[in-house]
Every structure is written in structure tokens, then in C-alpha cells.
Amino acid sequence: MSEPNVDRAEIIGMTSTQLKDWMAALGEAPYRARQLHQWLFKHRAPSFDAMTELPRTLKKILEERASIVSARIENIFISSDGTRRYLLGLADGCEIEAVFMPEETRDTICISSQVGCPLACDFCMTGVVGLKRNMTAAEIISQVIIVLNDVYGAGNPTPHRTNIVMMGMGEPLLNYDNVMQAIQILADEDGFAIALRYITLSTAGIVPGIDALAMEPRRPRLAISLTAATDEVRDRLFPINRKYNLDSLIAACRRFPLGPRERLTFEYVMLDGVNDSDRDAKLLVRLLSNVKAKVNLIPHNAAPELPYRSSPMQRIMEFQKVLTDAKLPSFIRRPRGLDISAACGQLAARHSATE
Ligand code: SAH
């Protein structure tokens, strides 16, 4: 696995304490570190030049020693439903993607955590690419800055109730330290100030990672990509299920500490004829019977490379009825950005395939 080729400090991947220490090593006072911190995370300044109250000499030093965003926009695809999909280039030429989804009451930014993914889930385009490398904390944060600055403009406040979901490329729990570092930075009340309850980490079921997250004093919401209610089906869709089967996964979910009104989200991608019968729905109800759960039913985003089709909407609604009758809360996710290759990893995978 290669490491990113950056010789300048990736300061947006630093917590406020780390930034203070880094500035102290340059001989700068803590109040300067605080100013820099505000410019980076409150105002999302695109350049050091824009940081008006910093002295010119300091700006020059920062320009030489540090970089702000460690990614650049290679392409933006805008869907008729307002979804904006970003193909981003990292310093070493790797490509990742992030997605902005406007909704009536809130906006959601979907970000990547790895370049590619090692899990090779059979219905996911990112699995086709394989893992190239982990993303650094700064690269993970860069996606949020780039998207917010593109949509709202640098300097304008991050809208209240902006949601961050780690549902782009990669398995966040296999890049644990960098992902947790990025989440702490996003949640820092003096910086982005995105509340932890508006940040969701989604996993394909890395049991030791779920247990590690359970021990964190400050943790995001957790979503589990379940998509199957039996080991037989799940083994086929998620190779990782052969290592951490449903028994061990559900046991980890049961011991995961939740707030009084908090529920775990279980994502269930609806695959025609594979996992979408009423019997599957009943098995799902039984599987989650002792878990504080809500289920997101997700129409599959098809791609020629993937041997699956989405269940028809009628079937999804019938499937949902079984859950509702059993008092298991569920939501049908509206497909987004269908006209711009919105399935996870489609953009970067297509791009590398055509190079
Ligand atoms: N590795 C993590 C996060 C990335 S995948 C995880 O597995 O949760 C984010 C979500 O997108 C998962 O719920 C996954 O099941 C879903 N997904 C992947 N490919 C999809 C596709 N082609 N159509 C619909 N959902 C998909």
C-alpha cells in the first residue's frame, strides 16, 4: 500500500491541540494557532492569503510548510434532483468521490474514507476497484470543505443540520484512526461544529471495529450495511461475512451502547430475487428482534458491471409492510442522482477503467 506523496503539513487533519503544537514548533503563539484554526474550520478559507489578520511573514511560512485542502475537483456531475457528485483528485493522483444531496430540511454530504475498498462486496462498484490506500484525516476533511465551499462559498457558515455520512468509497472501520481523527475535527465545537448525531459511520460489519467504536467517549451514529438476513445470502454478497458472521455481527450491535432515543441504522439494499421476499423480511424482523434498530431500504443502483437489479418499488413497499406490521421502523430511501452514476464508487471506478 502506498502513502500519499505530500511533503507539506496537512494542517486540516490536525485537531486544535495538534495545530497549536505545530504552530508552537514554528515559534508562533497560541493565539495565532487559534486564529489559523478559525480560518481553516469556521471560515473554510481556501488559501492562506485570505486569512486577513495573519501577518504577511506568517502567511508566507504557512504557504511553504503547509497545504490547506489536499484534494482538487476534477469533475462535478449535477443531477436533475440537485445531487452533486464530485470526482476528486488527491495529491498522489488517486481519485475518490464525494456526493452532496440537498433535502428539504437538511443537506447530506456523503464522503469516502479509503481510496477503493478491500471488501469486494458483490453488489458494490467500489469492490470492483479493490483497495489502493487509506485516506489521511486531511483528505477525509478536504471533501467536506470542497463540497461546502462549492455549494455555499468559502467564508459562509456551515448550515445547521448538515449531515455527514461515511458512505462513499471504502470501509471506515478499516481506516479507524484517520476516520476517528477526522470525525473529532468535524465535531469540534470551535471548528466545523457538526454535531456527532449528524455524523454517521457506515460499516459492512467489521466486528472488532464496532467494539472499538463502542469504547469511544465521543462517537458518531452507527449504520450497519446488513442487506441479508441469513448467512447463506450474506456470505455471497459480503465476503467479510465469512469472517464475521451474522451471529457475531448482531451480538456486537447488541452490546453497542446507545443513547435513550438512539437506534442503530441497518441498511438493506433491495436486490431483485436475492433478498427481497416476504420470507426475507420476516427473517430480518426476527434477526433484529432484540436490537434497537431502524431499517433503511435502499433501491439498488445498477451498473453493467454488477450482476444485480433493484427490486421493483412495488416489492420494496410490500417488503416494508412486513416490517411495519412487526413494528420494526423502516424508511425507503429515495434514489438520488440516478442520471449521474450515483452508485457508490461508480464514478471513480468508471474513470479508472477508461484510463
Ligand atoms: N463500507 C461501508 C461504507 C461504504 S458503502 C459500508 O459497507 O457500509 C455505503 C452504503 O452503500 C452501504 O450501505 C452499501 O450497502 C451501499 N451500496 C453499495 N453499493 C450500492 C449500490 N450499487 N446501490 C445501492 N447501495 C449501494
Side-chain angles (χ1 to χ4, degrees):
M1 233 166 35
S2 61
E3 287 300 313
N5 173 25
V6 254
D7 44 14
R8 289 189 293 178
E10 294 188 303
I11 52 177
I12 57 162
M14 295 181 185
T15 61
S16 57
T17 314
Q18 289 168 334
L19 196 63
K20 201 164 74 212
D21 293 346
W22 185 79
M23 285 285 271
L26 291 180
E28 294 294 332
Y31 83 95
R32 287 287 183 217
R34 261 197 314 277
Q35 286 174 333
L36 177 60
H37 186 264
Q38 295 281 299
W39 278 110
L40 290 174
F41 300 112
K42 264 228 154 71
H43 309 300
R44 302 186 310 273
S47 68
F48 295 112
D49 208 38
M51 302 181 180
T52 45
E53 78 263 64
L54 296 189
R56 190 165 304 165
T57 46
L58 176 56
K59 287 189 207 174
K60 197 157 178 298
I61 294 172
L62 291 173
E63 259 153 35
E64 282 161 11
R65 307 269 181 106
S67 61
I68 301 189
V69 234
S70 30
R72 62 174 195 290
I73 298 178
E74 291 190 350
N75 224 329
I76 308 179
F77 302 83
I78 302 172
S79 164
S80 52
D81 67 15
T83 301
R84 297 169 82 85
R85 194 165 183 85
Y86 298 82
L87 182 66
L88 304 177
L90 305 179
D92 63 354
C94 280
E95 287 175 325
I96 50 112
E97 51 191 271
V99 184
F100 173 81
M101 289 168 278
E103 282 160 287
E104 289 80 36
T105 54
R106 56 170 195 196
D107 297 332
T108 300
I109 302 174
C110 174
I111 59 174
S112 298
S113 57
Q114 296 183 307
V115 182
C117 183
L119 294 183
C121 301
D122 208 31
F123 60 97
C124 174
M125 273 299 281
T126 310
V128 176
V129 187
L131 178 68
K132 289 197 182 147
R133 65 169 172 83
N134 279 331
M135 289 171 69
T136 64
E139 288 170 338
I140 296 171
I141 300 274
S142 291
Q143 303 172 82
V144 180
I145 296 186
I146 288 173
V147 170
L148 289 173
N149 283 357
D150 180 57
V151 176
Y152 300 108
N156 293 317
T158 302
H160 181 57
R161 294 203 62 188
T162 295
N163 271 261
I164 306 287
V165 296
M166 295 214 157
M167 297 185 187
M169 302 175 88
E171 169 49 51
L173 292 181
L174 292 180
N175 184 16
Y176 191 88
D177 292 346
N178 292 345
V179 162
M180 287 314 294
Q181 168 103 355
I183 288 173
Q184 301 313 325
I185 294 168
L186 291 171
D188 181 348
E189 275 114 36
D190 294 325
F192 281 106
I194 297 174
L196 284 165
R197 66 181 184 285
Y198 294 146
I199 304 177
T200 300
L201 185 156
S202 176
T203 179
I206 310 295
V207 168
I210 295 172
D211 285 337
L213 192 64
M215 305 293 287
E216 297 282 347
R218 288 167 54 77
R219 53 190 170 69
R221 292 283 155 106
L222 179 62
I224 314 280
S225 296
L226 194 62
T227 301
T230 63
D231 279 319
E232 193 201 341
V233 177
R234 204 166 193 273
D235 276 351
R236 190 146 52 92
L237 297 173
F238 295 78
I240 191 71
N241 196 66
R242 291 172 214 151
K243 190 159 177 194
Y244 307 114
N245 67 11
L246 280 175
D247 268 355
S248 66
L249 177 57
I250 297 300
C253 292
R254 279 213 198 105
R255 43 178 193 263
F256 194 81
L258 295 172
R261 282 192 304 276
E262 195 181 345
R263 286 173 183 271
L264 289 174
T265 299
F266 289 86
E267 294 153 282
Y268 197 97
V269 179
M270 298 296 296
L271 303 168
D272 188 26
V274 176
N275 64 355
D276 64 348
S277 68
D278 280 2
R279 182 173 170 271
D280 291 312
K282 285 178 192 143
L283 288 169
L284 180 61
V285 168
R286 191 177 315 157
L287 185 70
L288 298 180
S289 58
N290 288 319
V291 187
K292 276 173 73 186
K294 62 171 190 266
V295 177
N296 275 344
L297 301 173
I298 308 172
H300 183 244
N301 241 318
E305 295 86 344
L306 302 173
Y308 298 96
R309 261 198 327 249
S310 179
S311 313
M313 196 41 83
Q314 180 67 25
R315 178 88 292 269
I316 300 180
M317 284 159 69
E318 285 160 13
F319 189 97
Q320 183 181 38
K321 185 164 185 310
V322 177
L323 308 188
T324 308
D325 288 347
K327 307 220 161 20
L328 176 56
S330 66
F331 304 87
I332 299 177
R333 278 252 206 98
R334 195 157 40 112
R336 303 296 306 249
L338 282 180
D339 48 343
I340 52 166
S341 299
C344 306
Q346 278 192 7
L347 220 55
R350 285 273 158 65
H351 203 246
S352 55
T354 54
E355 263 169 4

